[in-house]
Amino acid sequence: MDSMPINWEALDALIIDFAKSENLVEDSFSSSSPPSSPSPSSSSISSSSYHSRLIIRQIRRSLEAGDIDAAIDLLRSHAPFILDDHRLLFRLQKQRFIELLRRGSVEARDSAIKCLRTALAPCALDAYPEAYEEFKHVLLAFIYDKDDQASPVASEWSERRRLDIAGLVSTVLRAHLNAYDPVFSMTLIYLISIHKGFCLRQGISSPISDLTQRLLLEERDPPATPQDSLSEAPPFDEVDIQALAHAVELTRQGAVDSLRFAKGDLFQAFQNEICRMRVDVTKLDELVREYCVYRGIVDAVSGIESPSKSLKVDQSVAGYSLSRDSSHELDFGASKTSDGEVSISNDHGRGSPEKNSDVASMQGIEVEVRYASDSTSNHEDCSTSGSHQPENLRVPQRSRTNVSAERSKRKRWRGRQDDLEFIPGVSCNQISKGISTHSLTFASKEKQASECLVVDANNVEDKYEIVLGMKELASKGMAAEVVEEVNAMDPNFFGQNPLLLFQLKQVEFLKLVSSGDCSSALRVACSHLGPLAASDPALLKSLKETLLALLQPDEDALRKGFPLHALATSLQVAIGRRLGIDEPQLMKIMRATLHTHNEWFKLQMCKDHFESLLRIDSLKEVNMPSLAAAATSKSNADSCSNGSSQVTISSSTRMVEDGSSLSQVSSRDVVCDENAILKVMEFLALPRADAIHLLGQYNGNAETVIQQIFA
């Protein structure tokens, strides 16, 4: 499954959008630009959708905790229309009645009786036809104890009811407030759902099952039911019904009800259903943060530390005087030393001041601050088998200005601080009056200038800087510089990765040809490309096409058609593994799920209706012509694209050889009419692939298939 080419730049964009939408990151700041507290009115992350999602989460937590009064108060303040729906109001009041009885006190019992008389009984009269019977049934809770599992109202006492009502209210609120999850979250849920279904159907084991089981939860929120007035809506297109039903695993009637609730809007119905599926948010954030650090989106210092080690300045700092001697070191977390100075320390911080120090300016006072990151000796060995990690790596030092510029573009991981948003008067960035938030700034402490930067191979931050530096150079097409720095770091690297060296030398060759320096380009070809192709005959064709660039130099070849970002990512993964840094788990998930998405819709013999909505099509848009074809002609690029598509076909064939049964083989010889496929799917309640398989056996005749099944 790892042969699936992926547009990692498109995934980066989705991840950044997700992190911003969920307020997980904030812009980095430097000594020349003091930070400001996040402002809901000035930032896109504090959009109305984000605020609505926070409200929904707060209401959900209240309902799951059994605090129905708090949930109703929040609904009254932020979504009063929910309380106008007597069906939902009845369920809320019924749960409120149960929760009052659950308390067990005399006062709570009196409150339950009052709730019964003033709220629950009136709602039961016009909520829905079965409501009055449910009302009479719940009265039995007065008689039967909550711990009696054999009682007729055991289900009413069950705390599962809390989860059900919380899920139902959340579903309705999401649709009415248009507060859907960010696109990446929905995309990941959808891809994992398809992946699990495909593996189950084909009888193959998933290489990412341990991740998907922890990430995508089994339970779903209850579906929202359409208003009775919508039951007279005109029939929906059967194509839409079947597309929705099979995309999110609904019955046909469930898909019809979902479309009714969405007033016929297929994409809104799809989003409603996808957001009913639940993920482990903590695990999702962990995967996103790991990916962001690896890709250089989030600063490694803020990204690799655990939430408990996040930068915090305790309010107890207020009133203490700070030393003007810059040699004093402050750990994070405030305490007062015996000589009256302030020590800001983190209980978990064991960082070496020589390696993990920044300079902070607090109201004009220079103090040295240590990041709360583990020291070298406390880092776990994250090496993989076969990875080579010299004790010290000597890497030619790039311009410190460039390094600082790259780091300044990265964001700081903020994490979820939803609860603080709902505490009046408390800001998650608030610091006591003694030290202003705006006066606390950070700037990287520069190392002593030298020709070479000596890097500790066991220091995670140094490893990330090496890998990200190489990736940055490669993405800019600076192939010669990449080769030079990699060889300086590890002379054996390209000996074990000759294909990467070949590709980098192709880039160097094409750049020289584009600049008009054909003599230097030929020297590169003779010194490197030729010997590499001689040792690997599979590279000869690519070498020939590369040399054709001499006939038709194109200054824009690299910019237009060359997959520099794909090469940069391949280089990043290889160097990372060499240094003992595994690629992020999210990359493994995306490779596997996008591959099975391809294979699934081959079985369905149709296009995914929702891949554009979820940006899946952009994730698959990888410009993968051969490197030389990018510099010659579009026709050659097209032929190479066909070659890359053969990879997918061969992987499909390999799966068949492994024992899975692709039922489309016999049906490909028969052209099936779309209406016939839909008819068999509808009448027999079959998946699309099974309907196609049956039609293939009966010459595409839907009536014959149905007659044979019922004969």
Coordinates of all heavy atoms in Angstrom, one line a residue, residues 60 63-66 95 99 158-170 219-222 278:
R60 N -22.7 19.3 25.1 CA -22.5 17.9 25.1 C -21.9 17.4 26.4 O -22.4 16.4 27.0 CB -21.6 17.5 23.9 CG -21.4 16.0 23.9 CD -20.5 15.5 22.7 NE -20.9 14.2 22.3 CZ -21.3 13.8 21.1 NH1 -21.4 14.6 20.1 NH2 -21.6 12.5 20.9
L63 N -24.6 17.5 29.1 CA -25.6 16.4 29.0 C -25.0 15.1 29.4 O -25.6 14.3 30.0 CB -26.1 16.4 27.6 CG -27.0 17.5 27.1 CD1 -27.3 17.5 25.6 CD2 -28.3 17.5 27.9
E64 N -23.7 14.8 29.0 CA -23.1 13.6 29.3 C -22.8 13.4 30.8 O -22.8 12.3 31.3 CB -21.8 13.4 28.5 CG -22.0 13.2 27.0 CD -20.7 13.1 26.3 OE1 -19.6 13.5 26.8 OE2 -20.7 12.7 25.1
A65 N -22.7 14.6 31.5 CA -22.5 14.6 32.9 C -23.8 14.5 33.7 O -23.8 14.5 34.9 CB -21.7 15.8 33.3
G66 N -24.9 14.6 33.0 CA -26.2 14.6 33.6 C -26.7 15.9 34.1 O -27.7 16.0 34.8
Q95 N -35.1 13.3 30.5 CA -33.8 13.0 31.1 C -33.5 13.9 32.4 O -32.9 13.4 33.4 CB -32.6 13.3 30.1 CG -31.3 12.8 30.5 CD -31.2 11.3 30.6 OE1 -31.9 10.6 29.9 NE2 -30.5 10.8 31.6
E99 N -32.6 12.5 36.1 CA -31.4 12.9 36.8 C -31.7 13.5 38.2 O -30.9 13.3 39.1 CB -30.6 14.0 36.0 CG -30.1 13.5 34.6 CD -29.1 12.3 34.7 OE1 -28.5 12.2 35.8 OE2 -29.0 11.6 33.8
S158 N -30.3 3.9 32.7 CA -29.0 3.7 32.1 C -28.3 5.1 31.8 O -29.0 5.9 31.2 CB -29.1 2.8 30.9 OG -27.8 2.8 30.3
E159 N -27.1 5.2 32.1 CA -26.3 6.4 31.8 C -26.1 6.5 30.2 O -25.7 7.5 29.8 CB -25.0 6.5 32.5 CG -25.2 6.6 34.0 CD -23.9 7.0 34.8 OE1 -22.9 7.1 34.1 OE2 -24.0 7.1 36.0
R160 N -26.3 5.4 29.6 CA -26.3 5.4 28.1 C -27.2 6.4 27.5 O -27.0 7.0 26.5 CB -26.6 4.0 27.5 CG -26.6 3.9 26.0 CD -25.2 4.1 25.5 NE -25.3 4.5 24.1 CZ -24.2 4.7 23.3 NH1 -23.0 4.5 23.8 NH2 -24.3 5.1 22.1
R161 N -28.4 6.7 28.2 CA -29.3 7.6 27.8 C -28.7 9.0 27.7 O -29.1 9.9 26.9 CB -30.6 7.6 28.7 CG -31.5 6.4 28.5 CD -32.1 6.4 27.1 NE -32.9 5.3 26.8 CZ -34.2 5.3 26.9 NH1 -34.8 6.4 27.3 NH2 -34.9 4.2 26.6
R162 N -27.8 9.3 28.6 CA -27.1 10.6 28.6 C -26.4 10.8 27.3 O -26.4 11.8 26.7 CB -26.2 10.7 29.8 CG -26.8 10.8 31.2 CD -25.6 10.8 32.2 NE -26.1 11.0 33.6 CZ -25.3 11.0 34.6 NH1 -24.0 10.9 34.4 NH2 -25.8 11.2 35.8
L163 N -25.6 9.7 26.9 CA -24.8 9.8 25.7 C -25.7 10.0 24.5 O -25.4 10.7 23.5 CB -24.0 8.6 25.6 CG -23.0 8.3 26.8 CD1 -22.2 7.0 26.5 CD2 -22.1 9.4 27.1
D164 N -26.9 9.3 24.5 CA -27.8 9.3 23.3 C -28.4 10.7 23.2 O -28.4 11.2 22.0 CB -28.9 8.3 23.5 CG -28.4 6.9 23.3 OD1 -27.3 6.7 22.8 OD2 -29.1 5.9 23.8
I165 N -28.8 11.3 24.3 CA -29.4 12.6 24.1 C -28.4 13.7 23.8 O -28.6 14.6 23.0 CB -30.2 13.0 25.4 CG1 -31.0 14.3 25.2 CG2 -29.3 13.1 26.6 CD1 -32.1 14.3 24.3
A166 N -27.2 13.5 24.4 CA -26.1 14.4 24.0 C -25.7 14.3 22.6 O -25.5 15.4 21.9 CB -24.8 14.1 24.9
G167 N -25.6 13.1 22.0 CA -25.3 12.9 20.6 C -26.4 13.5 19.7 O -26.1 14.1 18.7
L168 N -27.7 13.3 20.1 CA -28.8 13.8 19.2 C -28.8 15.3 19.2 O -28.9 15.9 18.1 CB -30.1 13.2 19.8 CG -31.4 13.7 19.1 CD1 -31.3 13.3 17.6 CD2 -32.6 13.2 19.8
V169 N -28.6 15.9 20.4 CA -28.6 17.4 20.4 C -27.4 17.9 19.6 O -27.6 18.9 18.9 CB -28.6 17.9 21.9 CG1 -28.4 19.4 21.9 CG2 -29.9 17.5 22.6
S170 N -26.3 17.3 19.7 CA -25.1 17.7 19.0 C -25.3 17.6 17.5 O -24.9 18.5 16.7 CB -23.9 16.9 19.4 OG -23.6 17.0 20.7
E219 N -19.0 3.8 18.1 CA -20.3 4.4 18.3 C -20.5 5.7 17.4 O -19.5 6.4 17.1 CB -20.6 4.8 19.7 CG -19.7 5.8 20.3 CD -18.5 5.2 21.1 OE1 -18.2 4.1 20.8 OE2 -17.9 5.9 21.9
R220 N -21.7 5.9 17.0 CA -22.1 7.1 16.3 C -23.1 7.9 17.1 O -23.9 7.3 17.8 CB -22.7 6.8 14.9 CG -21.8 6.0 13.9 CD -22.4 6.0 12.6 NE -21.7 5.1 11.6 CZ -21.9 5.1 10.3 NH1 -22.9 5.8 9.8 NH2 -21.2 4.3 9.5
D221 N -23.2 9.2 16.8 CA -24.3 9.9 17.4 C -25.6 9.5 16.7 O -25.6 9.1 15.5 CB -24.1 11.4 17.2 CG -23.0 12.0 18.0 OD1 -22.6 11.3 19.0 OD2 -22.4 13.0 17.7
P222 N -26.7 9.6 17.5 CA -28.0 9.2 16.8 C -28.3 10.2 15.7 O -27.9 11.3 15.7 CB -29.0 9.4 18.0 CG -28.2 9.3 19.2 CD -26.8 9.9 18.9
R278 N -17.6 9.4 15.4 CA -16.8 10.1 16.4 C -15.4 9.6 16.4 O -15.1 8.4 16.1 CB -17.4 9.9 17.8 CG -18.8 10.4 17.9 CD -19.3 10.4 19.3 NE -18.5 11.3 20.1 CZ -18.6 11.4 21.4 NH1 -19.4 10.6 22.1 NH2 -17.8 12.2 22.1

